[in-house]
Amino acid sequence: QSRSRPWLSSTRSPTMATGTRVEHAQAALQKADAVCFDVDSTVITKEGIDELAAFLGVGDRVAALTASAMGGSVPFHEALAARLDVMRPSRKQLDAMLAAHPPADLLTPGIAALIARLVALNKRVYLVSGGFRQMIEPVAAELAIPPTDIYANSLLFDDAGDFTGHDPAEPTSR
């Protein structure tokens, strides 16, 4: 850790890996007014869509669609729609999954301290994800990030709680 940037040193955890451009990252964070974090496999240690799919018993089918999308052969918006069509979670199922496996329990080691330090230094922190707002809001609450600073897809439900789709107007849905 750098003596010239002690503002970030209090966030280091013995479990954190040391990167090759630490000094550059520290300088960028020090100058930034805002910092954006991806959520899945960054702020939390899991992929939210995979966790939801596994809970719904369709994990293998969704994983195959995810692998296809990650290879670039399917545009993100098409892969998202296909995965949601396989899952079709009800509001009740989503709530049960979140109760059984709270996303806030999956925080990456050191992330809470890093975000708290950034906020203490008047840096605005945003969570940006191709995942689902309903699953990210508990993570944001745990990290004291307001819901207005989340950019993610929104699952849509009818009055009975049945899945009707996702909001295609979200910038993260494309």
Side-chain angles (χ1 to χ4, degrees):
Q1 62 199 2
S2 170
R3 294 178 197 256
S4 63
R5 291 180 182 81
W7 67 276
L8 191 59
S9 64
S10 65
T11 64
R12 298 247 338 133
S13 162
T15 60
M16 292 175 68
T18 302
T20 57
R21 301 193 68 202
V22 173
E23 292 287 325
H24 174 77
Q26 288 176 330
L29 288 172
Q30 190 170 19
K31 293 176 187 173
D33 293 326
V35 179
C36 299
F37 287 95
D38 181 27
V39 177
D40 296 322
S41 296
T42 303
V43 171
I44 63 172
T45 59
K46 303 280 185 180
E47 291 287 324
I49 195 167
D50 294 341
E51 295 297 300
L52 180 57
F55 185 82
L56 297 171
V58 294
D60 290 342
R61 290 174 55 201
V62 170
L65 291 167
T66 299
S68 177
M70 296 302 282
S73 62
V74 179
F76 179 79
H77 70 281
E78 290 178 18
L80 178 62
R83 291 180 286 178
L84 286 172
D85 190 48
V86 168
M87 293 191 304
R88 302 197 57 77
S90 69
R91 180 72 216 187
K92 186 176 181 178
Q93 289 171 313
L94 178 63
D95 290 344
M97 184 269 199
L98 291 173
H101 308 284
D105 290 351
L106 303 173
L107 291 177
T108 297
I111 195 69
L114 173 59
I115 289 175
R117 185 70 179 138
L118 291 168
V119 169
L121 293 166
N122 296 316
K123 313 290 183 184
R124 192 150 180 196
V125 176
Y126 294 92
L127 298 179
V128 181
S129 178
F132 308 117
R133 178 176 302 280
Q134 292 92 334
M135 296 172 70
I136 294 169
E137 286 174 345
V139 173
E142 183 76 17
L143 298 170
I145 296 171
T148 55
D149 293 346
I150 300 170
Y151 290 86
N153 294 304
S154 295
L155 297 172
L156 302 176
F157 304 97
D158 64 18
D159 291 339
D162 294 324
F163 177 75
T164 61
H166 70 284
D167 184 350
E170 293 280 5
T172 53
S173 71
R174 300 182 278 284

